[in-house]
Amino acid sequence: MSILVDKNTRLLVQGITGKAGAFHARGCRDYGTNVVAGVTPGRGGEKLDETIPVFDTVAEAREQTGCNATMIFVPAAGAADAILEAADAGVELIVCITEGIPVHDMMRVKFALADRLNKDLTLIGPNCPGIITPGACKIGIMPGYIHKEGNIGVISRSGTLTYEAVWQLTSRGLGQSTCIGIGGDPIHGMSHTDALKLFTNDPGTEAIIMIGEIGGAGEEEAAEWAKEHCKKPIAAFVAGATAPEGRRMGHAGAIVQGGQGTAQGKKEALRAAGIAVAESPADIAETLISLLKQ
Amino acid sequence: MNIHEYQAKQLFDRFNVATSRGGVATTVEEARQVASSLSSKELVVKAQIHAGGRGKGTFTNGLRGGVQLVKSVEEAVELAGKMLQNTLVTHQTGPEGKLVQKVLIAESVDIAKEYYIAILLDRASGAPVVIASTEGGVDIETVAEKTPEKIWKVPVHPLLGLQPYQARHLARRLGFSGKQFLKASQLLLNLYRLFAESDCMMVEVNPLVVTKNGEVFALDAKLSFDDSALPRHSEIMEMRDTSEEDPREVAASAFSLNYIGLDGNIACLVNGAGLAMATMDIIKHHGGEPANFLDVGGGATEEQVTEAFKILSADPKVKAILVNIFGGIMRCDIIAQGIINAFKTTKLSMPLVVRLEGTNVEQGKQLLHDSQLPLQAASDLTDAAKKVVAAAARS
């Protein structure tokens, strides 16, 4: 079992003829994802690798191929428009990989989609590695081979730090149900809490790893929710304990402001909710394993 | 990105946000032109540097105060001459101070009352919020803590923008009435336009003032912009003053490297922002102090890796370097080749610990081994951190 994506996912790639879009469309296809279509305005009628049809609009791609998920590689200036286009065409799952979308654009997108998010529409990202259900479906830029089928759910704001945690699990024989990177921007779709709710209700997920970082209050909200509603074991790590205040640490959303959003504050909130917190990023999997042994 | 006070004033003028009249000067001659054009009885001369505490700062030539009130054009010109091309030391510049290359000369304003206004992005609601207080000219964090009843917040719908009624509501809450009420409301609306149309992360006006002759002015402001949106604002991008930034960060940004300088002695080079932060954390966890944050990104080239090494090794504080790569899309053999070449071109002389994991890791390790470079290979993240902390302690 898994959440959001599986063998039945029919993937569209927006920006499929770009360098990154084509590269990762192939990467997902080679992993076993059913990549049914691509969209690049002005390139309708072409095919990627003589097999994947390219359309001018998402509406056409949806009508002709029945795609139910999309992976967006459209450059930052047009990515907000690409999200709205996919939502308008009725694509149920939107995974936006694009980094550097202006914050004001994302504010408008989120308000425009507010009535639909987490109802008939799920938005993951932007500025995220994507989502993967090992052995079934990969939507994103993560290296597929580090994953293994299993029953640990992984939620994270970052890319390579997620790979680190996943690799720790896999190399200790623990597989994953689904891994989601929710992205490093201050305004994003799916939150830690949204992902946690899905994993809590997924019979195929027995334990959860949650990786956070400085900035915002997403981890604190998730901790609050987990305290009341999630009985599954959760291990967590929060990056950025050594980050100076007021600086954006690579991710636009990773910033401590006015003493808010610190790693320390987040760790305390997580521990108060009964979540095991790893102090070192090298101990994320071991922290979960010791919980599972209890 | 941050901008100078005179640049904020230029943006105010463009968006019709009422402010005191003034202009910028880079030479004594320009200072005379600006001062004469203002035809004001009292003028203020302000050194333009990004650091705070200018008023209480001291120039290395003995002049006290980077903000001066003067009563004549001659006096303004004289002070501009003493400030320009001289170094101002404030509590935020560090002992080396900052070279003053521009001064702002503005009409002096007789303040009757001071207020505080800020528009910023509220992450919890994912929307802008306008914050206003009757307690201007002071630290707003203190006001929020001690007298929260003196602060008003109005959330703004990002698709609608600040509505005129919301601006009027805030102006009344601040106690404005009559003509000043209308002026303050209009100022808030114009300020919101500036925030939205310039892709600001924050606009903070402190103070907003009522002058003794009844004008409502945004007197001093701090603006910060969304770096992601700068490509569509060339006029704001031109305001960037790299002489105000950490030279290590300027060098890094020229090669699209995400670098932030810190005070420790262990440099790190990592792919991915989350892992880069985690690497700093694990160095600290094992008793070391990170010298920087550096994310070389998902598709770093050999040239970028070489440049990154140059920046790291040029920092006199750095005693050892840790490379931590989790190869996903980026292959470990490419990174290894980059390290080998960078090692040779930069003639690196300090201890280097390398931890590679992920795609093509065996080829990468083999390349490093065959190169016979004096580097230490680490088996995992903990091993890497321990080795680099020990190496820094020894050298």
Side-chain angles (χ1 to χ4, degrees):
Chain A
M1 282 291 285
S2 59
I3 63 169
L4 294 167
V5 297
D6 54 31
K7 286 275 182 210
N8 300 317
T9 302
R10 298 173 63 78
L11 184 65
L12 166 74
V13 180
Q14 286 170 266
I16 195 165
T17 56
K19 195 176 160 215
F23 180 83
H24 292 292
R26 293 184 181 110
C28 293
R29 177 199 62 197
D30 294 348
Y31 188 78
T33 307
N34 190 13
V35 182
V36 297
V39 163
T40 298
R43 303 283 290 269
E46 295 182 16
K47 281 187 173 173
L48 182 77
D49 297 342
E50 292 163 17
T51 51
I52 304 169
V54 179
F55 298 90
D56 286 313
T57 66
V58 177
E60 281 174 284
R62 168 91 169 165
E63 284 156 18
Q64 311 246 342
T65 68
C67 55
N68 54 15
T70 179
M71 172 167 79
I72 296 177
F73 280 95
V74 173
D81 180 57
I83 295 171
L84 293 172
E85 183 184 7
D88 190 54
V91 179
E92 289 89 348
L93 174 66
I94 301 173
V95 181
C96 185
I97 310 296
T98 307
E99 179 180 357
I101 301 179
V103 178
H104 285 254
D105 289 7
M106 274 313 296
M107 279 196 304
R108 290 188 275 268
V109 165
K110 262 201 98 169
F111 269 74
L113 301 179
D115 292 343
R116 295 184 53 198
L117 286 176
N118 300 320
K119 295 190 184 83
D120 67 335
L121 178 68
T122 301
L123 170 64
I124 298 178
N127 189 14
C128 77
I131 175 169
I132 182 169
T133 293
C137 181
K138 164 176 127 95
I139 303 179
I141 60 175
M142 66 291 276
Y145 75 92
I146 63 169
H147 301 81
K148 174 183 156 73
E149 287 172 60
N151 54 25
I152 312 290
V154 178
I155 312 164
S156 172
R157 273 165 75 179
S158 102
T160 46
L161 183 56
T162 317
Y163 312 161
E164 175 74 40
V166 167
W167 184 242
Q168 286 176 22
L169 288 172
T170 298
S171 55
R172 285 164 178 78
L174 289 177
Q176 305 89 41
S177 52
T178 299
C179 306
I180 308 178
I182 61 171
D185 277 3
I187 309 265
H188 51 90
M190 173 171 278
S191 66
H192 273 111
T193 310
D194 298 332
L196 204 51
K197 284 179 185 171
L198 297 175
F199 279 130
T200 302
N201 295 326
D202 172 36
T205 300
E206 286 180 13
I208 298 158
I209 280 185
M210 204 166 92
I211 300 169
E213 62 189 35
I214 54 166
E219 292 83 356
E220 289 89 331
E221 283 160 20
E224 194 65 28
W225 187 86
K227 196 176 177 177
E228 297 295 320
H229 305 284
C230 182
K231 301 285 168 263
K232 297 178 182 179
I234 308 175
F237 175 73
V238 181
T242 47
E245 176 156 356
R247 300 300 307 266
R248 280 174 208 286
M249 307 303 286
H251 288 153
I255 179 168
V256 174
Q257 283 166 307
Q260 300 295 303
T262 65
Q264 197 52 39
K266 288 175 188 293
K267 287 177 186 174
E268 281 165 18
L270 290 163
R271 287 201 178 100
I275 294 169
V277 180
E279 275 302 328
S280 161
D283 299 335
I284 300 172
E286 288 297 337
T287 304
L288 187 70
I289 288 168
S290 52
L291 271 185
L292 293 174
K293 280 181 186 158
Q294 281 172 18
Chain B
M1 195 189 86
N2 296 313
I3 59 173
H4 287 294
E5 185 186 4
Y6 79 89
Q7 293 166 323
K9 255 183 150 48
Q10 289 168 353
L11 280 172
F12 281 173
D13 286 341
R14 191 181 310 158
F15 287 89
N16 294 320
V17 177
T19 184
S20 61
R21 290 181 309 139
V24 67
T26 52
T27 63
V28 174
E29 294 71 45
E30 281 176 12
R32 185 179 299 281
Q33 280 171 20
V34 174
S36 324
S37 72
L38 290 173
S39 62
S40 171
K41 268 186 282 175
E42 274 194 329
L43 295 166
V44 57
V45 184
K46 301 169 104 173
Q48 297 295 288
I49 57 171
H50 282 181
R54 290 173 300 171
K56 292 190 177 120
T58 306
F59 284 86
T60 47
N61 63 4
L63 177 67
R64 299 181 79 83
V67 177
Q68 302 270 352
L69 196 64
V70 297
K71 298 209 182 289
S72 70
V73 171
E74 281 315 313
E75 243 187 302
V77 172
E78 189 193 330
L79 274 162
K82 284 182 183 164
M83 290 185 189
L84 285 166
Q85 300 306 323
N86 282 299
T87 301
L88 176 60
V89 181
T90 81
H91 70 273
Q92 283 188 6
T93 60
E96 68 279 9
K98 270 282 166 200
L99 183 68
V100 176
Q101 292 173 309
K102 291 188 168 84
V103 292
L104 169 71
I105 302 175
E107 60 179 349
S108 165
V109 171
D110 271 338
I111 298 170
K113 182 153 176 42
E114 297 181 302
Y115 304 83
Y116 172 95
I117 305 282
I119 307 174
L120 49 89
L121 174 74
D122 176 40
R123 281 174 76 156
S125 60
V129 60
V130 184
I131 299 171
S133 173
T134 48
E135 306 301 293
V138 294
D139 179 30
I140 197 68
E141 311 269 341
T142 317
V143 181
E145 199 177 302
K146 295 197 175 139
T147 48
E149 71 281 3
K150 288 181 176 167
I151 293 182
W152 288 277
K153 291 184 182 180
V154 170
V156 180
H157 194 298
L159 298 172
L160 295 175
L162 184 70
Q163 296 298 296
Y165 82 89
Q166 293 178 301
R168 295 195 299 269
H169 168 78
L170 274 173
R172 279 299 295 152
R173 285 280 188 240
L174 291 176
F176 285 102
S177 60
K179 275 189 181 152
Q180 284 167 11
F181 163 73
L182 296 175
K183 281 178 182 170
S185 308
Q186 191 57 51
L187 189 146
L188 281 166
L189 289 170
N190 292 348
L191 197 65
Y192 186 83
R193 266 189 57 228
L194 163 63
F195 171 82
E197 291 177 24
S198 304
D199 278 290
C200 292
M201 294 297 278
M202 184 187 73
V203 175
E204 185 183 45
V205 177
N206 192 16
L208 175 88
V209 301
V210 175
T211 67
K212 287 194 174 141
N213 42 22
E215 294 299 326
V216 180
F217 281 158
L219 207 55
D220 198 358
K222 253 192 236 163
L223 274 68
S224 71
F225 301 92
D226 175 11
D227 290 345
S228 296
L230 286 176
R232 63 186 179 199
H233 298 288
S234 55
E235 77 289 359
I236 294 168
M237 203 123 77
E238 282 164 16
M239 292 180 173
R240 182 175 174 195
D241 183 351
T242 50
S243 73
E244 288 284 349
E245 297 172 23
D246 183 331
R248 299 173 297 181
E249 292 176 18
V250 176
S253 75
F255 291 92
S256 307
L257 295 166
N258 216 329
Y259 175 97
I260 292 172
L262 301 168
D263 294 328
N265 60 8
I266 299 174
C268 42
L269 185 161
V270 189
N271 66 330
L275 191 60
M277 269 189 277
T279 304
M280 289 161 46
D281 293 348
I282 199 169
I283 288 170
K284 179 95 175 176
H285 184 72
H286 289 284
E289 287 292 339
N292 66 281
F293 166 92
L294 174 58
D295 168 17
V296 295
T301 61
E302 207 176 290
E303 187 196 16
Q304 281 177 302
V305 175
T306 307
E307 288 306 319
F309 268 108
K310 280 187 194 162
I311 293 161
L312 297 182
S313 57
D315 186 339
K317 288 197 295 285
V318 171
K319 297 271 184 259
I321 299 177
L322 170 60
V323 174
N324 182 21
I325 300 291
F326 200 106
I329 302 317
M330 178 185 275
R331 286 157 37 197
C332 290
D333 52 331
I334 301 228
I335 279 288
Q337 197 56 54
I339 294 169
I340 293 164
N341 294 348
F343 211 111
K344 288 174 182 160
T345 40
T346 56
K347 299 188 177 65
L348 199 67
S349 59
M350 64 185 75
L352 175 66
V353 177
V354 181
R355 183 268 181 151
L356 296 177
E357 196 57 80
T359 310
N360 290 3
V361 64
E362 291 312 321
Q363 291 98 308
K365 284 181 177 170
Q366 194 61 44
L367 277 171
L368 291 178
H369 179 78
D370 294 347
S371 72
Q372 297 189 322
L373 290 174
L375 52 82
Q376 300 181 65
S379 56
D380 60 32
L381 202 44
T382 302
D383 184 43
K386 283 182 176 166
K387 277 183 172 148
V388 79
V389 170
R394 274 196 308 271
S395 57

